[in-house]
């Protein structure tokens, strides 16, 4: 009887030993759901990615100054499956007058798109007066500061370099920390209206002089009206220095 029981247990023991030698991976492959992998996480594009592609696109239409951009909403996010393309800008509209833009951010190779809008404009740096300078005072390097302004708020009459300010004086009061109009500046006055002046004419072969009277105030380099006191003829002459003006035509200085 004991012999029969031992004989029956032998196959079971052999089977158990065989199962112990089967790799765990092989057993797992027979489990329900084997072979199903978790989906790859989405690729998330946030504000920095959107700003980068928008800046590149807007820099082609905002060509003056340094681009400054403001989105109407900061809650910007696109999610795309793994393997999708990068971001691109489509249907870009920009109004230079209003400084407004609208566009669509798309994930290339997919149907994912997000409308965005905001403001964009160029920024330039211009010289401004750091202190109040009254007419007659000469603007020096220490009177100048630099300020960022929107490019569309400047004109060809706006001072763009410190060289356009240094050595000049205001014709009237100029506000501090504001764009300076060139028309509001003049060279320091070196000739007063009514002052006696020397009228000169210089050529490669000669220099002629005569006396005259200034009919206008004038700064160096400015053109003013003077009267030749000997011929009583009124002419236009360029201020060359204190109480000295220069004319270009020989007939002007003839007595």
């Amino acid at each position: 009887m004991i012999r029969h029981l031992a004989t029956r247990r032998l196959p079971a023991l052999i089977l158990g030993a065989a199962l112990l030698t089967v790799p765990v991976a092989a057993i797992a492959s027979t489990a329900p759901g084997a072979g199903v992998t978790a989906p790859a996480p989405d690729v998330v594009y946030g504000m920095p990615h959107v700003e980068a592609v928008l800046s590149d696109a807007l820099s082609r239409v905002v060509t003056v100054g340094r681009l400054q951009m403001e989105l109407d909403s900061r809650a910007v996010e696109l999610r795309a499956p793994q393997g999708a393309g990068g971001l691109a800008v489509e249907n870009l509209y920009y109004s230079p007058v209003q400084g407004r833009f609208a566009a669509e951010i798309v994930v290339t190779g997919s149907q994912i798109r997000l409308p965005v809008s905001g403001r964009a404009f160029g920024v330039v740096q211009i010289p401004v007066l750091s202190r109040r300078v009254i007419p007659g005072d000469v603007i020096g390097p220490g009177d100048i500061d630099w300020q960022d302004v929107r490019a569309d708020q400047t004109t060809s009459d706006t001072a763009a370099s410190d060289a356009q300010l240094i050595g000049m004086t205001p014709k009237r009061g100029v506000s501090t920390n504001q764009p300076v109009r060139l028309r509001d500046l003049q060279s320091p006055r070196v000739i007063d209206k009514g002052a006696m002046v020397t009228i000169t004419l210089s050529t490669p072969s000669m220099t002629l002089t005569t006396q005259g009277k200034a009919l206008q105030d004038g700064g160096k380099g400015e053109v003013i009206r003077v009267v030749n006191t000997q011929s009583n003829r009124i002419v236009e002459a360029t201020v060359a220095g204190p109480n000295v003006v220069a004319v270009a035509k020989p007939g002007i200085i003839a007595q």
Side-chain angles (χ1 to χ4, degrees):
M1 185 66 176
I2 295 174
R3 240 186 352 260
H4 290 303
L5 288 174
T7 305
R8 290 175 184 174
R9 289 176 182 171
L10 184 59
L13 292 173
I14 295 172
L15 177 60
L19 288 174
L20 290 175
T21 62
V22 176
V24 175
I27 298 175
S29 65
T30 63
V36 178
T37 58
D42 288 345
V43 177
V44 180
Y45 296 104
M47 179 63 74
H49 307 92
V50 172
E51 287 181 330
V53 294
L54 265 177
S55 295
D56 183 61
L58 285 168
S59 64
R60 299 170 192 155
V61 293
V62 181
T63 56
V64 178
R66 184 179 72 256
L67 175 68
Q68 184 168 321
M69 177 181 64
E70 300 171 359
L71 286 170
D72 290 336
S73 173
R74 302 293 298 177
V76 175
E77 183 179 277
L78 294 93
R79 291 180 174 269
Q82 290 284 347
L87 297 185
V89 178
E90 293 184 358
N91 303 320
L92 174 64
Y93 166 78
Y94 177 69
S95 170
V97 176
Q98 299 176 341
R100 297 283 305 173
F101 73 87
E104 287 185 313
I105 307 298
V106 303
V107 179
T108 58
S110 75
Q111 298 299 314
I112 301 170
R113 58 184 57 233
L114 176 72
V116 294
S117 61
R119 301 169 65 242
F121 42 82
V123 173
V124 295
Q125 197 172 62
I126 61 170
V128 296
L129 295 181
S130 58
R131 71 173 182 91
R132 182 168 178 78
V133 181
I134 63 175
D137 287 350
V138 178
I139 300 171
D143 301 322
I144 297 174
D145 201 354
W146 292 87
Q147 191 172 87
D148 285 342
V149 299
R150 288 178 50 168
D152 59 3
Q153 294 177 347
T154 66
T155 67
S156 59
D157 191 45
T158 303
S161 69
D162 55 357
Q164 293 175 299
L165 301 183
I166 295 174
M168 304 295 283
T169 187
K171 293 179 181 178
R172 56 188 67 85
V174 176
S175 300
T176 60
N177 298 315
Q178 294 293 325
V180 179
R181 297 184 305 179
L182 298 177
R183 74 183 76 171
D184 293 336
L185 302 176
Q186 63 183 1
S187 297
R189 189 171 64 191
V190 294
I191 293 178
D192 295 325
K193 180 179 179 180
M196 298 304 294
V197 298
T198 299
I199 306 173
T200 66
L201 169 68
S202 295
T203 69
S205 58
M206 65 177 182
T207 297
L208 300 176
T209 63
T210 190
Q211 294 299 305
K213 183 177 181 180
L215 301 179
Q216 295 173 275
D217 296 333
K220 188 174 182 179
E222 295 181 336
V223 176
I224 63 172
R225 296 166 65 243
V226 298
V227 58
N228 184 327
T229 53
Q230 297 186 27
S231 66
N232 210 35
R233 183 177 179 183
I234 296 175
V235 299
E236 289 188 339
T238 302
V239 177
N243 295 331
V244 177
V245 298
V247 295
K249 296 180 180 180
I252 295 295
I253 206 167
Q255 297 182 7

